[in-house]
Every structure is written in C-alpha cells, then in structure tokens.
Amino acid sequence: MLFIIYATAALVVSYLAVRLYRLLTQKQKEDQELRASLLQLFHSIDTPILYVNSENVVQHVNQSFKALLEEERFWYAGMHLRDLLGSSIYEALSLQFEQGSGLKSDTITFSPGPKHLDSPFASYEFKIYRSHGPDGEKGDYLILFTENVSEQTHDSNDENDKLLIQKYLGEVEHSKMELKRRTEELHEARDEAVRATRAKSTFLANMSHEIRTPMNGLIGMASLLSESKLTPEQADCVKILEESSQSLLTLINDILDFSKVEAGKIDLSPVCIELRKNLSQGVKLFYFSLEKKEITFDLQIGDDVPEYILIDDTRLMQIINNLMNNAIKFTPINGSISLHVELQKSLGDKDVLQFCVTDSGIGMDAEAQKKIFNEFEQASSSTSREYGGTGLGLSICSGLVRLMDGEIWVKSKKGEGTSFYFTIACGRPTQDQIEATHRVVPTEILEPLGSLNTPLRILVAEDNVVNQKVISRMLQKMGHEVHVVENGELAVDSLMNDSFDIVLMDCQMPVLDGYDATREIRKNRWGQEIPIVAFTANALEGEVQKCLEAGMTDYVSKPVQKQELERVLKSYPANK
C-alpha cells in the first residue's frame, strides 16, 4: 500500500516534469528552426545590413556588410554601434532619435555630411527601420547602407529592399509573439509542477506522521516487553517483533530519504573527521551480521589516503551502510566482503577518494547492471522475492554521491560477485579543525547536566493514547515523574500552574499544536527557560528548523529509541 501511495504522488510530479521537458525541447527545436530561417533570409538581402538591439549593440551583420569593408571580422557581433560607425556618425544618429523622429516613425533616413568624411561609411545613405514593443517602447532596429547612385537605380533597389525588410521585420514580430506564447506555457507548466511538488511534500509529511505514530507504539512496546520477565518462547516472539518493526522502519526511512534526494532537499554539512578511525568504528555495526553468516571481512585504506578529511560523515556512512547491507544480503555463508579506500587524485584544495565494496555474492548480468541505480529496481523480481528490500537503497546512494561531486558505478558477473565503486570530493581541513576533533569536554562541564540517576519532572504533550502509554512507561522505568496531557492548550495550562524540568511536545495535536503551544509558552516569563523537546513523527527535511524557529530546544523523531531519549534527558539539569 505504501508503494502505491508513494507511486501515485511520484507519477503526478513525473508527468509534469516530462511535460515541462517536452515543452522546453519543443521550444528549443522550433526556436532553432526559426532562427535558421530568419538568418537565411537576413543573409539573402543584397544590401549591407546591421541588426542592432535597443542598447545599440550589434547583434548580426549580413554577408553584404562584411563584403562592404572587404574583411571578415568575427567581432562585429557584440560591438557597440559607436565603435563600428565612428563617433561623429553615431552622435548624429543619436541626435535624430532624441529629436523624436525615431519615436514617431518606423523609418529614419540619414545622409552623412562633410564633417563625417573621416568615417568609412561617409559615402553611404543610412535607412533605419526600428521595431516597437506592444506598449510602444523602442525595440531592436536594422540599418541599411545604400550608395548614392542614380535616382532610378536607387528607387528600384529601395523598393526591393523595402519589401525584403518588411518581410524580415514581420517574421521577427511573429517570432516574438510565438516566443511570448511558449514562455507563458512554460511558466504555467512550471507553476503547476511547483504546486504538485508542494502537494507531494505535504502528502509525504502527513504520511510520515500517520505511519510513524503507530510505529512508535509498536517499537516502543516491543522494547518494553523485551525488558520484562519472559519465557524463552515469549522472548523469541518479542525478538521477531523488534526485528520486523526495525525492517518496516528502514523501509519508511528509505522512502523518505529517496523523496528528499529526488526533491534536492538534502543539505550537506561537512565536518572534519579522522577517516580511518570513523570507518573502523562504522563497520563494527556489521560484525554481528558478518559473524552470523561466517563471512570474512577486509578493510583496507591506502597509505596515501589523507588521515583527516572534510566531509558530511553522516551521508558518507549512509552510502557505505547501504552498500555493506547489500553485500551481506547477497553474499552466501562462508563468503567474503571487502571495503577498500584509495586516493584517486587531488584537485586544487580537494582530494578525490575512491571507495569500493566487493562481495563474493550472487552477482548480476549486464542487463541488470544498467538499471540497478534506478528507483524501485532490483536485479530481478526473483531477487526481490528471495532477499526483500525496497529497491531504493542504491538510488539513494546514487543521489548522495552526485550531491558530493562524485560518481558511482558497478562491476559484476553473474555468480561471481559484485563490486560497487564510488568517488567523493573531500575538502582539506585546517589545523584548527583537526585539533578540534581531539578536544575533550572537561568533567566539570558535564557534572551539572542531568543524568539517568537524577529524577526529572517531565510534562508529555501527546494526543495518541498508545504513544502516551509507551513514553510514560519508558520514562517511569528510567525513574522520572511523568505528567501527560493530550493537546497543546492543556500543556500551556499545566506549565502555568505547575513546575516541570522538561517538556516533551508532540508537534501535531488537536486544539493547539506543538508549534503554537511552544510560542505561547515562550511569551510568558515562566516559560522562557524551560527546555521543550519536539516529539514528532514528521521526518522530512526542514522539520528541525521549523521546531527551532517555534522556540523548541531539541528534537526527537518518532519512533523514539530508548538511547535517543536517554541522550536528550541527560542534556538538561533538574530544577533546583
């Protein structure tokens, strides 16, 4: 059902994106054809012509004009008219425009006088045809150069040129109207796509809340059950419940991550890390799964790889975790997996690192490799049935790698294993940044903070009954005193009449939501210092900022993990 819901929203945006792309492609093709036709007509006129824009900058010259000066000068286009004609003629032309003739008529005729003999165009008569915009504003114009010859020839050439010019100007006006129409269509399609994207984001936010709220009850109750006295059979059932809940949570997170990558709403936060140390600690998460399947694992980092790098460590480990999970999933018992890192090249102030995760698993054929990074794709339908998964992990990896100025690719043979390669561009940290990674917080700073042995009076604002029970029992097992209310208005009343050490505030509640309740609390003197922790199921990008702007001090995402809850509570002292 979740795939159907997500696919429906994605299809709407995809349709609009395709429509917008087709409009752009069609417009570019038609514009190129129209431009070629106009230029062909422009160059077919025997009379020398300049095409000048409203800023008096030359845009085009025809072949006859180039022949007039007997030289092919590629820099005609882009020259200011003053530089091409000479100052004396340019100023004389400007004077005619200022006197109004250029505003009252589409045509101006100008013949240089004796004081213009220094110009190579002194022996020519100028005919200027100016176009006007729909509101009467001055537009682009053409300058024709005709020699002072016999009246009959002059009149004959003039009439012929006039017909050609009228045809050319007519084509230009038609192209402007057509361009305006297409631009309006593009704007309409763009606005429609923006509206659909916003609707999709709202839809995903609501779905995130609706799915994560019951997940919080499921995972929370399973966690509480696992800490109670159980028979071996009951413990085994609870373990299956916890593992299934975590699998479902992974699925939800994959879909939300994919939507953020697709919408370009992931911002990187580079920090200085000690790469070897971070990777060594990060892969420890997989030791249990590796031992369970008796898979040998090898981590190798090249000697030339920098010890410290500037990178978004969270996103880097997300890519590696996805690739490692895939490798473990598709590698049989007694197989092997390796993670190798090497310096590919150095570019300016950045180093490009290459990572490779190789397994001895089932591998894939060439056809599967072509689509493996597409969303909702796996090597085959049988792979999905046998090994599970959403088919989003590699698509998310691909999006994150591109965001980090890198590339990702795969090499594999059916039945012989697979190697996933990716590169990322890493910054080089300063000495101060390196030293900051080794700073230890003095013990005296940590001592005033709350601890699990310091009972707190906690106000919980949560409208869901199951979540009320889960969070209350978790907090009570930690030794804290808990008071529960079901909406923001009651939370404000409780704080007005009683004292608490901390507030856990759900963001979406009836009567008064968590954001408005927090703002109301912060307006009062008694509510300006108390820590308010957002307790919400909305996991989309920007939610943390929204909570902070409302006046909240921290953020916990549902489903709440016990370790995360302990971390938050240890950060705030009890009121004395």
Side-chain angles (χ1 to χ4, degrees), residues 492 516-528 532 550:
V492 175
D516 290 335
T518 300
R519 293 187 185 97
E520 189 64 32
I521 291 168
R522 296 303 189 204
K523 290 179 183 177
N524 298 279
R525 185 177 56 81
W526 46 263
Q528 293 177 0
I532 302 177

Side-chain angles (χ1 to χ4, degrees), residues 34 38 41 131 142 162-178:
L34 181 59
L38 289 174
L41 176 61
S131 64
L142 298 173
K162 186 173 182 180
L163 289 174
L164 285 171
I165 292 300
Q166 286 175 347
K167 182 180 179 181
Y168 181 77
L169 290 176
E171 292 285 351
V172 169
E173 289 302 317
H174 174 74
S175 69
K176 287 183 177 179
M177 295 298 295
E178 187 66 16

Side-chain angles (χ1 to χ4, degrees), residues 74 203 307 322 543 553:
F74 64 87
F203 170 82
E307 186 176 359
N322 270 330
E543 180 63 20
T553 48

Side-chain angles (χ1 to χ4, degrees), residues 128-144:
I128 303 171
Y129 297 83
R130 183 187 284 278
S131 64
H132 294 275
D135 298 324
E137 70 273 14
K138 293 184 292 184
D140 300 346
Y141 56 95
L142 298 173
I143 301 180
L144 279 69

Side-chain angles (χ1 to χ4, degrees), residues 126-401:
F126 291 39
K127 286 188 181 298
I128 303 171
Y129 297 83
R130 183 187 284 278
S131 64
H132 294 275
D135 298 324
E137 70 273 14
K138 293 184 292 184
D140 300 346
Y141 56 95
L142 298 173
I143 301 180
L144 279 69
F145 298 82
T146 58
E147 291 187 88
N148 293 318
V149 293
S150 67
E151 190 66 28
Q152 182 179 358
T153 305
H154 175 85
D155 291 343
S156 174
N157 287 342
D158 184 59
E159 187 63 30
N160 185 45
D161 289 342
K162 186 173 182 180
L163 289 174
L164 285 171
I165 292 300
Q166 286 175 347
K167 182 180 179 181
Y168 181 77
L169 290 176
E171 292 285 351
V172 169
E173 289 302 317
H174 174 74
S175 69
K176 287 183 177 179
M177 295 298 295
E178 187 66 16
L179 180 62
K180 181 180 179 182
R181 181 184 66 80
R182 293 178 199 160
T183 301
E184 289 173 353
E185 286 182 354
L186 287 173
H187 286 167
E188 182 181 349
R190 179 203 61 193
D191 293 342
E192 194 174 348
V194 168
R195 287 193 295 269
T197 301
R198 288 174 181 168
K200 176 185 169 185
S201 296
T202 303
F203 170 82
L204 286 172
N206 291 335
M207 287 305 302
S208 170
H209 183 270
E210 294 304 320
I211 294 170
R212 283 175 175 268
T213 296
M215 280 298 299
N216 187 62
L218 189 62
I219 293 177
M221 282 300 182
S223 177
L224 291 171
L225 272 175
S226 66
E227 295 176 359
S228 61
K229 294 181 179 180
L230 301 172
T231 65
E233 183 179 359
Q234 290 171 333
D236 188 51
C237 290
V238 170
K239 183 179 179 182
I240 293 173
L241 178 61
E242 286 185 307
E243 290 177 351
S244 299
S245 300
Q246 288 298 333
S247 296
L248 183 55
L249 182 60
T250 299
L251 168 64
I252 295 168
N253 287 337
D254 277 352
I255 291 176
L256 291 172
D257 276 343
F258 172 71
S259 72
K260 288 187 282 186
V261 170
E262 184 185 43
K265 291 187 175 181
I266 290 184
D267 295 322
L268 298 178
S269 302
V271 294
C272 177
I273 65 167
E274 190 175 351
L275 184 61
R276 288 173 176 77
K277 178 181 176 182
N278 283 40
L279 287 181
S280 297
Q281 292 177 344
V283 296
K284 287 180 181 178
L285 297 173
F286 303 103
Y287 282 178
F288 176 76
S289 300
L290 292 167
E291 290 174 0
K292 188 177 179 180
K293 297 181 72 172
E294 298 181 5
I295 297 173
T296 59
F297 177 71
D298 178 42
L299 172 63
Q300 289 188 19
I301 302 175
D303 294 336
D304 56 351
V305 173
E307 186 176 359
Y308 296 93
I309 61 173
L310 278 178
I311 197 71
D312 189 322
D313 186 39
T314 301
R315 298 304 177 187
L316 172 61
M317 290 310 302
Q318 185 176 0
I319 297 167
I320 292 175
N321 289 348
N322 270 330
L323 296 180
M324 284 292 297
N325 280 324
N326 265 7
I328 293 171
K329 183 194 300 183
F330 297 116
T331 299
I333 294 174
N334 295 321
S336 63
I337 296 174
S338 65
L339 169 59
H340 292 175
V341 187
E342 61 184 47
L343 176 65
Q344 188 185 73
K345 58 185 174 182
S346 296
L347 296 172
D349 60 348
K350 291 183 179 292
D351 294 312
V352 179
L353 302 184
Q354 177 178 290
F355 296 74
C356 178
V357 176
T358 300
D359 65 66
S360 61
I362 61 175
M364 67 186 90
D365 57 31
E367 190 62 29
Q369 293 177 47
K370 293 177 183 178
K371 60 182 182 179
I372 196 66
F373 294 108
N374 296 340
E375 59 268 21
F376 304 112
E377 289 281 1
Q378 292 193 337
S380 66
S381 57
S382 61
T383 300
S384 179
R385 287 192 299 270
E386 183 176 353
Y387 296 96
T390 63
L392 286 175
L394 291 176
S395 178
I396 293 169
C397 287
S398 178
L400 291 175
V401 167

Side-chain angles (χ1 to χ4, degrees), residues 86-117:
S87 297
S88 61
I89 289 183
Y90 176 78
E91 289 169 3
L93 285 175
S94 299
L95 183 61
Q96 289 216 15
F97 280 123
E98 290 173 4
Q99 289 173 346
S101 59
L103 296 176
K104 296 175 183 177
S105 171
D106 289 329
T107 306
I108 299 173
T109 301
F110 170 75
S111 297
K115 61 181 179 180
H116 305 129
L117 293 178

